[in-house]
């Protein structure tokens, strides 16, 4: 088994993990950044533009990803899953599995020739199933590292990739590699999933193709998105009327997510603004309970959206059905007018889903989580990054829903806590 | 360095044009740029890529330096302040002097501003890049200036953010000096009553930190003290502190964390009836009153309180034309973030103590965004707090009838009905405003955001860094935040300051003024013009055996603004990295077309 000795193991490489790793490494400590996906970058790298500044998400994330991959103190371990974490007297033992990409990573020159010739198309999880990719492919344009992954379950063993590869990299028999990481401290930055699209049965999101997730809309709006423009999935039509259903996956006890997810008001407003830029003729309506624009510059952003003509309607959406053309029909309970529930048709509907923790089981680590599965702070008014276990810190959405600015502030907090913790234990052992 | 002696033919320029996803390439014709620039003199290679700042993009540059002997780099992409450092690092990794590089902005200055004229945008981009080539051809290799750093951080403000930053910095082994203007550390938390989300007494939080601070030998605390000047520069700030007794201490610090917090918004006389009646209180006043009130009935100044109204967004989320402006003529457009939760938390406390008091709440949006806060909102509903929702562009009207306070508002929840209710007491959920720190921001020349809180360099890339190297900000000096959020930001500021001070010397950009001592006549006009005292001075030097007066630039203090260059009649002072001759060459390239 390969053995690695480092100071801090950072688990999860979204913007929280990237920032925390860079801070710890810049302070002179060795980091292993462990990511289960084939590329670092987390959710943020798949977003279009980010509120409230409307910077493109890639422009902010890619340089951080590059900085991580070049940092002499950061050991970037992608496509690697932690199987077990043990606390011992002088730190932590992490047992991880590096999954096989079925290529020789040291030799691959990222020429994409394998990807070009592969005859098999599979669903592209990065594009949230909006478009296909090849059974062997580099995960996305600006992935780090630029290494293809071969999907052994879908591959038909035709051998085309192996024949074309100029470096003879393809290795169908590659095995997973076991790795033992010894660390003094652990930072948890495992991030989030969005509330499942079928959480609210009344919205029929699974059976109506034109009811989409906000992450799909991010891809439709992204400069390098699947179609290069915003079209609706069922028939490729350009939507003339688009609606957002707020709190679709939050503030709702019946689906087990009673808390507010903090970001969905703002991303809906952002997407609405971007849509009105790319589809100037489209009507955009946001059905909401409260608009929670509480961060720096957010209220101003909300005012701007109202001035741009985006419709904000205080109403609850009780149910979604589809008409014969596949257009979603929303049953609306207005708060503003004393009218009976109405049925309103839109071409495309986005469910503003909330955030739930991506990981709830910390594999042998007796980490305290709250009733919704987020990692708890030992003392929120002393050090929010400190978990119940000495030496284990948490940041980003793993600790609770947060937008990017709050996530970045949280990452620095976890980093300084980990660095100072190591200083304190090293001080004692001297 | 040998590069200085390269002749024109040996200078090999590589030009790298970024699509920025589509931010640039949707407007300008990248292919045309690359075609045309490849033909321009001295350009050996021109390439384009979707994201030049990504690992792949950077590798293109690195590979060309290594394999094609490229020794001058032009990157045409977004604004330089975003990723200049990224490219400089890549160039350095490939073994070239990182300053032999010019960054041309074809996004903010081209594609974003000329969306409606793609052809014109493309021509403009080409011209700018050609000018960039001319400039980089005349660029000399430069070396970062290195200055020694004091291993000490100054923390301005001893509230929760300042205290947290102090403890984190000291735990990192850095000496700390905290300067607080009040008698005690703790800031706004030095008050009666409890706080969300921990349901602790505010002062208990202060005590947790005070203990750590007062027992830590690395932390020196100045209370009831005032900073009366800050000079110097990153690594070597000189601070003058006036103490209670009037004595002045001089200290040195390598970095500064501004944690000066916020001020409570003060309603003007008559705003929602404030000061017109003793029974109109600000939230802070009400919290203190409530914590002192006990017994079966809620009595205040002899009156039994049976009903209380709460008004949200007082001093926040204001609109021009609807709300009266502040002293500076501005309204507070921002949301103060904490008042909804803090207000509702307090209503629950009230209901627990005095369940019979009727509570009416007038709001526009309820912003209980925190994980536990939504349940506070639910508990309030269970306590029978009655909520009224007003339209965004209307404000509730307050009038007085006898000893009753009358609230009149439109209520969206009852289908836009006009409602009137009479209460015995009114509580205004006043928000935060930036604290008065014109002195500090003046000494340090800090930028302010449009909302008048301090302005970070970039909300995502550098959220706690100020525009002045070595100065960081934490907590509500940046924008409204709750306690936990302030702690996060304070620890991040402590981290960034610790990283800066972890090196014995700090590298600074070499873009500073340089003096040609042969030409300099020592007239001192540059000294008069310079805004940064100490950056340029007149000294005496022995040149060829003669004593001569010449200008001397302190590279650590010079900000590279170029004001001196403009006034020197002898052309004896010039800027590294932006020499006059370079600009002339750029302009020539532009007018030639
Ligand atoms: C539709 C949408 C739009 C948004 N738009 C904006 C916006 O415009 N502006 C803004 O500020 N915020 C926005 N947000 C919020 C933003 O996405 C988050 O604040 C941010 O991405 C959180 O980063 P993170 O690092 O905490 O989590 P993540 O990005 O989820 O990162 C977690 C990482 O951990 C990895 N991981 C998980 N488990 C393991 C494991 N066991 N082992 C190893 N690795 C693991 C994951 O693969 C992932 O890479 C948006 C959110 C959504 C849903
Ligand atoms: S062997 Fe598999 S991965 Fe390779 S080209 Fe054929 S199907 Fe694609
Ligand atoms: S063909 Fe070979 S070298 Fe090229 S990307 Fe595929 S595995 Fe790598
Ligand atoms: S942020 Fe907005 S949409 Fe999301 S849960 Fe909170 S109130 Fe609902
Ligand atoms: S937190 Fe609530 S009361 Fe405070 S300004 Fe924001 S919306 Fe208004």
């Amino acid at each position: 088994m390969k053995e690695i000795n480092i100071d801090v193991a950072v688990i999860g490489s979204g913007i929280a993990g990237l920032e925390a790793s860079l801070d710890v490494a810049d302070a002179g400590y060795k980091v292993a950044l462990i990511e289960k996906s084939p590329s670092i970058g987390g959710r943020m790298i798949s977003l279009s533009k980010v509120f409230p500044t409307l910077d493109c998400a890639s422009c902010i994330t890619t340089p951080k990803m590059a900085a991580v991959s070049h940092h002499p103190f950061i050991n970037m371990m992608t496509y690697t899953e932690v199987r077990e974490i043990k606390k011992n007297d002088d730190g932590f033992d992490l047992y991880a599995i590096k999954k096989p990409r079925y290529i020789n990573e040291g030799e691959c020159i990222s020429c994409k020739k394998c990807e070009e010739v592969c005859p098999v198309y599979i669903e592209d999880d990065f594009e949230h199933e909006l478009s296909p990719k090849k059974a062997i492919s580099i995960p996305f344009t600006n992935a780090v590292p630029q290494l293809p992954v071969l999907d052994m379950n879908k591959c038909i063993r035709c051998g085309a990739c192996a024949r074309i590869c100029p470096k003879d990299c393809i290795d169908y028999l590659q095995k997973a590699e076991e790795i033992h990481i010894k660390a003094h401290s652990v930072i948890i930055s495992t991030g989030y999933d969005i509330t499942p699209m079928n959480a609210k049965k009344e919205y029929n999101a699974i059976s109506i193709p034109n009811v989409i997730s906000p992450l799909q809309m991010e891809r439709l709006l992204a400069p390098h998105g699947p179609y290069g423009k915003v079209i609706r999935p069922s028939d490729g039509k350009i939507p003339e009327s688009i609606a957002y259903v707020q709190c679709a996956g939050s503030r709702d006890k019946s689906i087990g997510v009673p808390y507010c997810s903090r970001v969905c008001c703002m991303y809906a407003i952002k997407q609405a603004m971007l849509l009105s830029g790319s589809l100037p003729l489209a009507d955009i309506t946001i059905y909401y309970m409260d608009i929670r624009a509480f961060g720096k510059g957010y209220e101003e952003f909300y005012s701007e959206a109202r001035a741009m003509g985006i419709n904000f309607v205080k109403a609850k959406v009780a149910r979604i059905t589809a008409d014969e053309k596949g257009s979603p029909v929303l049953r609306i309970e207005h708060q503003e007018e004393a009218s009976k529930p109405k049925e309103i048709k839109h071409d495309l509907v986005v469910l503003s889903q909330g955030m739930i923790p991506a990981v709830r089981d910390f594999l042998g680590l007796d980490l305290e989580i709250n009733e919704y599965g987020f990692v708890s702070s030992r003392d929120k008014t002393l050090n929010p990054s400190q978990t119940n276990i000495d030496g284990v810190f948490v940041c980003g959405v793993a600790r609770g829903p947060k937008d990017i600015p709050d996530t970045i502030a949280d990452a620095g907090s976890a980093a300084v806590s980990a660095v100072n913790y190591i200083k304190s234990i090293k001080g004692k052992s001297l | 360095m040998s590069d200085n002696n390269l002749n024109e033919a040996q200078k090999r320029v590589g030009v790298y044009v970024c699509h920025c996803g589509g931010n640039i390439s949707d407007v300008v014709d990248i292919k045309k740029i690359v075609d045309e620039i490849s033909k321009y003199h001295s350009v050996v290679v021109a390439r384009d890529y979707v994201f030049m700042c990504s690992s792949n993009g950077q590798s293109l540059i690195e590979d060309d330096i290594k394999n094609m002997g490229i020794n001058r780099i032009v990157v045409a992409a977004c604004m330089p302040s975003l990723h200049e450092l990224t490219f400089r690092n890549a160039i350095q990794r490939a073994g070239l002097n990182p300053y032999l590089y010019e960054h041309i902005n074809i996004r903010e200055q081209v594609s974003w501003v000329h969306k409606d004229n793609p052809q014109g945008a493309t021509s403009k981009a080409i011209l700018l890049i050609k000018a960039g080539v001319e400039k980089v051809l005349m660029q000399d290799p430069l070396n970062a200036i290195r200055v020694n750093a004091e291993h000490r951080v100054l923390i301005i403000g001893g509230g929760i953010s300042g205290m947290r930053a102090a403890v984190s910095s000291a735990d990192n082994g850095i000496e700390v000096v905290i300067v607080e203007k009040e008698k005690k550390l703790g800031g706004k938390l030095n008050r009666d009553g409890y706080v969300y989300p921990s349901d602790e007494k505010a002062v208990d939080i202060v005590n947790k930190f005070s203990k750590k601070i007062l027992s830590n030998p690395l932390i020196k605390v100045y209370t009831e003290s005032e900073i009366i000047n800050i000079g110097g520069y990153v690594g070597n700030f000189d601070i003058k502190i006036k103490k209670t007794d009037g004595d002045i201490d001089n200290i040195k610090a390598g970095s500064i964390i501004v944690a000066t917090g916020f001020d409570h918004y003060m309603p003007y006389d008559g705003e929602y009836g404030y000061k017109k009646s003793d029974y109109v209180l600000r939230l802070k006043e009400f919290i203190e009153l409530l914590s002192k009130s006990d017994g079966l009935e809620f009595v205040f100044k002899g009156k039994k309180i049976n009903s209380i109204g709460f008004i949200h967004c007082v001093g926040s989320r204001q609109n021009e034309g609807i709300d009266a402006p502040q002293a500076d003529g501005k309204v507070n457009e921002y949301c103060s973030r904490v008042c909804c939760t803090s207000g509702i938390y307090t209503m629950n406390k009230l209901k627990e103590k005095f369940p019979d008091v009727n509570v009416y709440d007038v709001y526009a949006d309820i912003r209980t965004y925190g994980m536990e806060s939504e349940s506070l909102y639910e508990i309030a509903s269970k306590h029978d707090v009655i909520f009224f929702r007003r339209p965004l562009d209307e404000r509730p009207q307050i009038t007085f009838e006898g000893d009753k306070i009358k609230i009149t508002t439109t209520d969206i929840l009852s289908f836009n009905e006009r409602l009137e209710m009479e209460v015995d007491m009114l509580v205004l959920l006043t928000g935060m405003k930036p604290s008065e720190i014109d002195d500090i921001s003046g000494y340090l020349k800090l930028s302010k955001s449009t909302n008048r809180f301090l302005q970070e360099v970039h909300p995502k890339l550098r959220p706690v860094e100020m525009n002045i190297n070595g100065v960081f900000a934490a907590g509500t000096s940046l924008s409204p935040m709750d306690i936990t959020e302030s702690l996060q930001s304070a620890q991040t500021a402590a981290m960034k300051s610790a990283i800066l001070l972890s090196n014995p010397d700090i590298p600074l950009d070499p873009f500073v003024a340089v003096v040609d001592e042969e030409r300099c006549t020592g007239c001192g006009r540059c000294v008069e013009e310079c805004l940064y005292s100490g950056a340029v001075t007149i000294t005496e030097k022995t040149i060829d055996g003669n004593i001569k007066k010449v200008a001397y630039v302190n590279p650590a203090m010079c900000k590279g603004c170029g004001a001196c260059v403009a006034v020197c009649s002898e052309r004896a002072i010039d800027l590294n990295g932006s020499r006059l001759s370079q600009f002339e060459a750029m302009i020539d390239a532009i007018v030639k077309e």
Side-chain angles (χ1 to χ4, degrees):
Chain A
M1 198 186 305
K2 190 163 143 191
E3 201 175 287
I4 295 172
N5 282 290
I6 40 101
D7 293 306
V8 184
V10 178
I11 308 180
S13 70
I15 189 64
L18 294 177
E19 282 284 337
S21 301
L22 285 171
D23 279 347
V24 170
D26 283 347
Y29 292 83
K30 289 211 178 71
V31 176
L33 175 57
I34 307 165
E35 168 60 54
K36 70 173 186 330
S37 307
S39 170
I40 56 173
R43 296 279 174 205
M44 187 176 169
I45 189 65
S46 75
L47 302 179
S48 55
K49 297 195 173 174
V50 285
F51 63 77
T53 40
L54 292 184
D55 298 296
C56 76
S58 288
C59 306
I60 307 231
T61 326
T62 35
K64 300 254 181 202
M65 291 159 71
V68 161
S69 71
H70 292 303
H71 205 296
F73 286 176
I74 301 178
N75 187 336
M76 185 176 80
M77 304 167 76
T78 50
Y79 217 34
T80 301
E81 248 168 52
V82 179
R83 291 289 162 87
E84 196 184 359
I85 311 176
K86 278 193 199 151
K87 186 167 168 57
N88 60 35
D89 288 344
D90 49 29
F92 300 87
D93 288 299
L94 291 85
Y95 297 92
I97 298 280
K98 182 174 179 320
K99 293 174 275 189
R101 287 183 165 90
Y102 301 104
I103 62 152
N104 180 339
E105 297 181 6
E107 285 296 312
C108 172
I109 52 165
S110 318
C111 68
K112 289 193 173 193
K113 290 217 164 83
C114 50
E115 190 172 329
E116 280 159 28
V117 298
C118 175
V120 177
Y121 286 91
I122 62 174
E123 279 188 342
D124 187 346
D125 45 355
F126 184 76
E127 299 295 351
H128 301 288
E129 283 77 48
L130 289 169
S131 63
K133 65 172 181 185
K134 294 290 184 70
I136 184 166
S137 50
I138 293 182
F140 51 94
T141 326
N142 34 17
V144 173
Q146 282 278 311
L147 293 172
V149 177
L150 188 156
D151 183 336
M152 208 32 114
N153 293 322
K154 302 285 164 54
C155 165
I156 55 169
R157 318 281 197 286
C158 69
C161 54
R163 281 192 298 276
I164 195 104
C165 175
K167 304 290 286 181
D168 213 5
C169 297
I170 310 290
D171 176 1
Y172 297 108
L173 301 175
Q174 199 171 48
K175 290 271 163 322
E177 191 184 351
E178 287 178 45
I179 308 170
H180 175 196
I181 304 152
K182 284 163 128 22
H184 297 297
S185 168
V186 176
I187 294 180
I188 309 275
S189 49
T190 43
Y192 69 97
D193 285 329
I194 59 167
T195 334
M197 286 296 279
N198 60 1
K200 252 178 134 85
K201 302 281 174 281
E202 309 86 293
Y203 290 168
N204 291 308
I206 303 297
S207 58
I208 310 176
N210 294 328
V211 175
I212 64 170
S213 85
L215 290 170
Q216 288 178 315
M217 183 54 98
E218 290 290 334
R219 293 312 301 154
L220 291 176
L221 287 165
H224 263 249
Y227 313 128
K229 59 182 171 204
V230 180
I231 55 177
R232 61 180 207 171
S234 75
D235 51 10
K237 186 176 159 250
I238 302 224
E240 282 162 18
S241 126
I242 302 161
Y244 283 83
V245 180
Q246 294 311 104
C247 305
S250 318
R251 301 180 69 189
D252 186 345
K253 271 200 177 148
S254 72
I255 58 171
V257 187
Y259 52 86
C260 164
S261 291
R262 293 172 68 147
V263 297
C264 10
C265 278
M266 287 303 293
Y267 74 60
I269 298 176
K270 166 194 79 177
Q271 293 186 355
M273 281 175 134
L274 296 175
L275 282 168
S276 65
S278 55
L279 306 173
L281 299 177
D283 276 332
I284 305 162
T285 308
I286 298 182
Y287 297 103
Y288 74 101
M289 298 207 280
D290 300 278
I291 290 293
R292 294 194 163 160
F294 52 79
K296 187 171 191 176
Y298 293 6
E299 184 69 23
E300 294 85 334
F301 194 75
Y302 173 34
S303 303
E304 205 184 316
R306 290 202 308 279
M308 282 170 79
I310 291 155
N311 304 312
F312 287 85
V313 178
K314 285 186 197 108
K316 275 191 183 154
V317 175
R319 197 178 63 216
I320 305 177
T321 49
D323 74 358
E324 65 289 353
K325 292 205 186 95
S327 295
V329 179
L330 275 56
R331 190 179 167 83
I332 309 282
E333 290 164 3
H334 271 278
Q335 288 194 356
E336 274 172 281
E337 298 152 31
S339 60
K340 276 193 248 133
K342 265 195 223 159
E343 304 236 305
I344 302 179
K345 194 174 80 178
H346 294 280
D347 293 339
L348 185 63
V349 168
V350 182
L351 295 187
S352 292
Q353 294 294 35
M355 290 173 157
I356 57 171
V359 176
R360 291 163 200 254
D361 172 11
F362 290 91
L363 313 154
L365 204 58
D366 202 7
L367 202 61
E368 196 183 300
I369 55 174
N370 71 13
E371 55 187 306
Y372 318 119
F374 294 103
V375 179
S376 303
S377 310
R378 183 190 287 167
D379 183 346
K380 276 193 202 97
T381 55
L382 183 65
N383 179 358
S385 314
Q386 172 71 59
T387 68
N388 63 314
I389 302 173
D390 285 342
V392 182
F393 305 94
V394 58
C395 61
V397 183
R399 192 165 75 74
K402 264 177 213 73
D403 56 28
I404 296 162
D406 285 352
T407 295
I408 291 177
D410 211 26
S413 173
V416 80
S417 306
V419 164
N420 289 352
Y421 172 78
I422 294 173
K423 282 202 181 216
S424 76
I425 53 168
K426 287 199 173 161
K428 270 178 215 144
S429 65
L430 283 176
Chain B
M1 206 178 276
S2 64
D3 193 277
N4 274 330
N5 309 322
L6 291 185
N7 62 37
E8 286 312 303
Q10 289 168 319
K11 292 182 180 169
R12 299 169 62 82
V13 182
V15 178
Y16 302 87
V17 187
C18 183
H19 298 216
C20 195
N23 281 306
I24 295 171
S25 55
D26 286 351
V27 178
V28 302
D29 183 345
I30 303 268
K31 192 175 171 301
K32 187 162 175 212
I33 298 181
V34 171
D35 284 351
E36 189 142 334
I37 294 296
S38 338
K39 290 181 241 149
Y40 198 62
H41 78 93
S42 309
V43 174
V44 177
V45 60
R47 297 184 197 277
D48 62 292
Y49 192 67
V50 274
F51 290 109
M52 207 49 94
C53 58
S54 68
S55 271
N56 291 1
Q58 295 182 42
S59 312
L60 290 178
I61 303 175
E62 287 173 60
D63 291 347
D64 287 352
I65 294 171
K66 287 187 208 144
N67 305 333
M68 298 178 69
I70 296 297
N71 52 26
R72 292 288 185 283
I73 308 288
V74 175
V75 175
C78 52
M79 59 182 176
S81 61
L82 280 177
H83 299 319
E84 207 170 30
L85 206 62
T86 305
F87 292 112
R88 236 181 251 149
N89 287 340
I91 294 166
Q92 185 150 36
R93 272 198 306 274
L96 189 66
N97 182 290
Y99 296 97
L100 294 172
Y101 144 62
E102 183 60 24
H103 194 103
I104 300 294
N105 180 351
I106 58 167
R107 193 176 78 177
E108 283 80 357
Q109 288 176 6
V110 179
S111 66
W112 282 359
V113 286
H114 303 298
K115 278 206 172 76
D116 43 352
N117 181 4
Q119 274 183 358
T122 306
S123 319
K124 178 172 172 187
I126 292 171
L127 264 189
L128 291 174
I129 296 171
K130 285 181 179 170
V133 172
E134 296 299 342
K135 184 171 177 210
V136 83
L137 282 170
M138 301 181 72
Q139 181 62 45
D140 297 326
L142 299 172
N143 290 309
I145 298 160
R146 303 199 80 94
V147 296
N148 287 332
E150 291 283 333
H151 205 61
R152 186 179 304 110
V153 56
L154 165 72
I155 297 179
I156 311 178
I160 186 78
S161 303
M163 291 195 294
R164 178 68 257 180
V167 174
S168 297
S169 303
D171 284 350
N172 202 270
I174 297 167
E175 268 184 57
V176 178
V177 174
I178 310 183
V179 180
E180 164 60 52
K181 64 178 188 312
E182 303 295 335
K183 277 204 181 75
K184 266 169 51 181
L185 293 177
K188 306 289 184 300
L189 289 182
N190 273 322
R191 62 151 164 86
D192 290 335
Y194 291 77
V195 293
Y196 83 89
S198 53
D199 215 17
E200 275 166 288
K201 277 196 171 141
V203 287
D204 287 348
I205 300 178
V206 177
N207 291 338
K208 277 194 284 201
F209 280 100
S210 314
K211 260 192 227 136
K212 284 181 184 282
I213 287 175
L214 300 174
S215 64
N216 195 320
L218 284 175
I219 307 179
K220 182 165 171 58
V221 180
Y222 286 89
T223 43
E224 276 188 287
S225 302
E226 190 192 350
I227 292 179
I228 52 167
N229 193 38
I230 304 177
Y233 46 90
V234 57
N236 296 276
F237 291 106
D238 292 305
I239 301 112
K240 279 194 180 3
I241 303 168
K242 191 168 157 204
K243 299 189 289 185
T244 342
D245 56 11
D247 280 2
I248 288 170
D249 271 7
N250 289 303
I251 66 148
K252 274 189 154 292
S255 64
I256 298 179
I257 298 176
V258 183
T260 43
F262 69 98
D263 282 342
H264 289 287
Y265 174 79
M266 238 352 223
Y268 59 84
D269 287 4
E271 186 174 7
Y272 299 106
Y274 193 66
K275 295 257 168 86
K276 295 278 181 241
S277 152
D278 289 347
Y279 296 92
V280 180
L281 302 175
R282 291 180 293 136
L283 178 61
K284 170 188 183 283
E285 296 162 340
F286 180 76
I287 292 173
E288 289 184 312
L289 170 66
L290 184 65
S291 74
K292 280 186 275 203
S293 305
D294 280 309
L296 288 174
E297 292 184 335
F298 188 16
V299 180
F300 178 53
K301 297 203 172 168
K303 180 164 98 173
K304 181 171 177 253
I305 308 294
N306 294 312
S307 57
I308 306 182
F310 284 80
I311 307 279
H312 285 242
C313 304
V314 177
S316 315
R317 300 184 71 188
Q318 296 179 319
N319 298 113
E320 266 173 44
I322 300 180
D323 298 285
Q326 313 276 300
D328 63 0
K330 296 222 176 92
V331 295
N332 295 338
E333 250 197 278
Y334 55 87
C335 163
S336 289
R337 195 166 173 148
V338 300
C339 16
C340 273
T341 309
S342 167
I344 288 177
Y345 171 76
T346 306
M347 291 171 214
N348 291 340
K349 285 265 169 230
L350 165 70
K351 279 291 203 173
E352 281 156 24
K353 251 186 179 171
F354 304 109
D356 294 334
V357 175
N358 293 320
V359 178
Y360 306 105
D361 184 77
V362 185
Y363 72 99
D365 294 278
I366 294 285
R367 291 186 169 166
T368 43
Y369 61 86
M371 205 156 15
E372 295 83 9
S373 314
E374 194 70 23
S375 63
L376 294 175
Y377 182 21
E378 201 189 308
I379 292 168
S381 304
K382 287 208 181 111
H383 279 317
D384 291 326
V385 171
I386 304 176
F387 289 95
F388 301 96
R389 179 176 207 153
R390 66 162 169 85
L392 271 185
D393 52 1
E394 264 186 50
R395 304 288 177 263
Q397 300 302 313
I398 306 300
T399 46
F400 297 95
E401 306 217 333
D403 67 348
K404 291 282 183 191
I405 304 167
K406 190 162 94 185
I407 311 171
T408 311
T409 184
T410 308
D411 178 31
I412 292 173
L413 302 178
S414 56
F415 308 117
N416 287 323
E417 211 174 309
R418 282 297 277 180
L419 297 179
E420 286 182 358
M421 57 208 118
E422 288 190 336
V423 293
D424 297 316
M425 182 181 266
L426 188 68
V427 179
L428 308 182
L429 302 189
T430 44
M432 298 188 181
K433 65 181 181 109
S435 52
E436 306 275 339
I437 50 162
D438 285 349
D439 49 348
I440 307 283
S441 58
Y443 306 139
L444 288 169
K445 302 198 168 56
L446 302 181
S447 329
K448 302 255 181 89
S449 314
T450 43
N451 65 7
R452 288 167 284 130
F453 287 85
L454 290 176
Q455 170 78 58
E456 62 283 354
V457 173
H458 188 283
K460 298 192 178 71
L461 291 170
R462 294 161 74 189
V464 296
E465 287 165 68
M466 296 288 97
N467 55 322
I468 302 300
N469 204 351
V471 183
F472 307 89
T476 51
S477 61
L478 283 162
S479 72
M481 292 181 198
D482 70 12
I483 296 169
T484 311
E485 291 156 354
S486 300
L487 293 174
Q488 270 165 234
S489 121
Q491 298 218 80
T492 298
M495 177 83 270
K496 299 293 179 190
S497 138
I499 290 171
L500 181 79
L501 301 184
S502 65
N503 301 314
D505 58 1
I506 299 174
L508 301 182
D509 272 345
F511 305 123
V512 294
V514 279
V515 177
D516 180 341
E517 292 176 347
E518 298 257 302
R519 285 188 166 183
C520 178
T521 61
C523 71
R525 292 205 46 201
C526 49
V527 181
E528 285 165 29
E529 200 61 25
C530 180
L531 288 172
Y532 303 94
S533 72
V536 56
T537 43
I538 299 293
T539 50
E540 285 190 346
K541 260 205 162 166
T542 317
I543 294 170
D544 300 333
N546 303 318
I547 295 179
K548 190 184 168 194
K549 274 191 172 172
V550 288
Y552 163 77
V553 174
N554 179 341
M557 304 196 63
C558 171
K559 299 275 185 278
C561 71
C564 51
V565 181
V567 295
C568 179
S569 52
E570 306 302 315
R571 289 190 71 156
I573 194 161
D574 212 343
L575 274 193
N576 261 344
S578 304
R579 290 179 178 273
L580 269 181
S581 51
Q582 286 177 301
F583 281 110
E584 283 160 2
M586 290 172 84
I587 291 165
D588 284 347
I590 292 172
V591 295
K592 206 160 66 196
E593 297 280 324

